[in-house]
Amino acid sequence: MKEIKIKSHAKINLGMKVYRKREDGFHEVETILQMVDLYDTVTLRRIEAGIVVSCNNGSVPEDENNLAYRAAELIQGHIKVNKGVLIKIDKQIPVSAGLGGGSSNAAVTLLALNRLWDLGLKKDELIDLAKSLGSDVPFFIFGTRAIGRGRGEELEPLSPGERVPIVLVNPNLSLSTSLVYKNLNLRLTNKDNNINLLMSLLNKGEIKKIGRYIFNDLESPAIKSFPVIKDIKDKLWSLGAVGSMMSGSGPTVFGLFTDYNIAKEACHRLREGEWSVFLTETIVDLQEIYPTANLWGVVKR
Ligand code: ATP
């Protein structure tokens, strides 16, 4: 195989509980991650040597700071392969948006190189490599709804449930993750840990109730810097969402809907403003998005 084209999906956080800061500088978290059907397209082509990255979005680095580049470099060093790759990223996912776009690109690069370079790595081995690239990276190999503990990288699967219509709204502003954490006052975060409650509601598939219990400890500190996040939430509610919340460290806000037509109409209205708006849905089956034969463990080393 000379070339692989793979979809690189975004995630949202249906729940985000932040605990103490650890000695390594990261916060301990408990989060419910959900893949959604908004994606970049990543094309990987085998070349003689080296790693070359290109991206259609000017704010994404094309050098060794690109997470897909780092994934290729990591796997090259791990297996000691002397093959090269050209990585082309067609970016649709907003950048620095709390949607995990860079992490997703890194994860699919690991998956695709396993096939392209005939490495025969098992899913668990790929997940271990992914962990060293960033807390959100393993999730995109693990899919499609999961609870993440530790820095968010220790994953346990959750049942994917039914497809849920989702509207994503990005106010086109850049919100630094470290600033959001700096504004976070752990004494003021939600005392109740709603993660368990949310998990049981997700298992029952009661979207309306789920909408009321989604939460994100990082949302209040983010709204402090950017009140527009609150405006988007209110707008989503008024347009028929059964829940709306900021994703990850923001600033993208998602709205959960029970009906596609209502979600579609909401998008229509939201697009009248300056924001970037996406109509999407939850992903319920990993096979659906990574269908290019088996991407792990098929080739013996
Ligand atoms: P996180 O919440 O994990 O910080 P995010 O969704 O907020 O992720 P990303 O879109 O993943 O943000 O980008 C975060 C940073 O990573 C940006 O500063 C961007 O320049 C850099 N970056 C490196 N590689 C990529 C990539 N392949 N795609 C997007 N951004 C990338």
Side-chain angles (χ1 to χ4, degrees):
M1 194 179 285
K2 270 200 169 140
E3 186 176 289
I4 290 184
K5 198 175 257 208
I6 189 165
K7 288 179 179 177
S8 178
H9 283 257
K11 60 83 185 161
I12 56 171
N13 303 76
L14 294 170
M16 181 77 169
K17 181 82 205 138
V18 182
Y19 298 103
R20 64 180 179 90
K21 195 171 180 177
R22 311 175 345 164
E23 273 171 16
D24 61 8
F26 289 98
H27 281 81
E28 192 79 21
V29 301
E30 231 177 346
T31 181
I32 296 178
L33 296 148
Q34 170 70 60
M35 261 189 193
V36 295
D37 197 17
L38 168 69
Y39 56 87
D40 300 336
T41 304
V42 182
T43 309
L44 300 98
R45 181 178 302 166
R46 232 164 54 182
I47 53 173
E48 280 300 306
I51 302 165
V52 182
V53 176
S54 67
C55 182
N56 63 338
N57 181 322
S59 62
V60 173
E62 293 179 322
D63 57 10
E64 67 281 358
N65 291 312
N66 191 295
L67 280 158
Y69 184 107
R70 277 198 233 151
E73 195 178 43
L74 177 75
I75 209 164
Q76 255 184 354
H78 181 73
I79 311 285
K80 315 244 172 338
V81 273
N82 51 5
K83 295 170 186 162
V85 64
L86 217 128
I87 304 172
K88 185 171 144 260
I89 303 169
D90 182 359
K91 187 129 305 265
Q92 301 300 323
I93 305 171
V95 177
S96 296
L99 297 172
S103 304
S104 174
N105 293 171
V108 300
T109 297
L110 293 179
L111 282 177
L113 286 179
N114 194 29
R115 190 92 179 99
L116 200 68
W117 287 344
D118 294 334
L119 305 176
L121 293 172
K122 298 276 185 300
K123 190 173 181 180
D124 285 353
E125 293 176 272
L126 290 166
I127 287 176
D128 276 344
L129 285 174
K131 279 183 192 174
S132 66
L133 289 166
S135 337
D136 281 344
V137 185
F139 171 69
F140 293 100
I141 298 175
F142 196 86
T144 60
R145 178 184 286 167
I147 176 149
R149 299 195 172 88
R151 288 184 291 132
E153 84 290 17
E154 298 300 337
L155 298 167
E156 256 180 59
L158 295 176
S159 147
E162 300 282 308
R163 284 178 210 280
V164 180
I166 288 181
V167 173
L168 301 174
V169 186
N170 182 275
N172 298 318
L173 51 88
S174 161
L175 182 50
S176 120
T177 304
S178 62
L179 176 71
V180 176
Y181 274 97
K182 224 157 102 192
N183 282 345
L184 174 74
N185 184 339
L186 284 173
R187 271 172 303 158
L188 298 181
T189 54
N190 194 346
K191 290 278 179 300
D192 306 318
N193 183 350
N194 283 341
I195 286 276
N196 291 335
L197 178 60
L198 195 51
M199 276 201 293
S200 83
L201 292 174
L202 284 166
N203 274 334
K204 291 185 196 139
E206 297 176 36
I207 297 303
K208 273 194 180 162
K209 268 198 187 163
I210 291 167
R212 269 186 272 133
Y213 285 95
I214 51 177
F215 72 99
N216 183 349
D217 281 350
L218 298 175
E219 192 185 72
S220 297
I223 288 175
K224 228 184 245 170
S225 305
F226 292 109
V228 66
I229 293 168
K230 174 81 171 59
D231 298 342
I232 296 175
K233 281 180 63 122
D234 293 346
K235 192 89 189 166
L236 278 161
W237 276 109
S238 75
L239 292 170
V242 294
S244 76
M245 188 59 53
M246 186 182 84
S247 179
S249 53
T252 306
V253 177
F254 63 89
L256 301 182
F257 287 79
T258 51
D259 182 289
Y260 277 95
N261 289 327
I262 300 176
K264 206 168 156 188
E265 179 56 27
C267 280
H268 199 65
R269 297 283 301 279
L270 286 156
R271 286 193 183 117
E272 288 163 7
E274 312 260 279
W275 305 325
S276 300
V277 183
F278 305 88
L279 176 60
T280 180
E281 62 181 5
T282 57
I283 298 283
V284 298
D285 183 4
L286 208 58
Q287 283 293 322
E288 221 174 89
I289 60 170
Y290 302 142
T292 338
N294 249 330
L295 288 168
W296 44 73
V298 282
V299 183
K300 293 269 169 299
R301 256 187 290 153

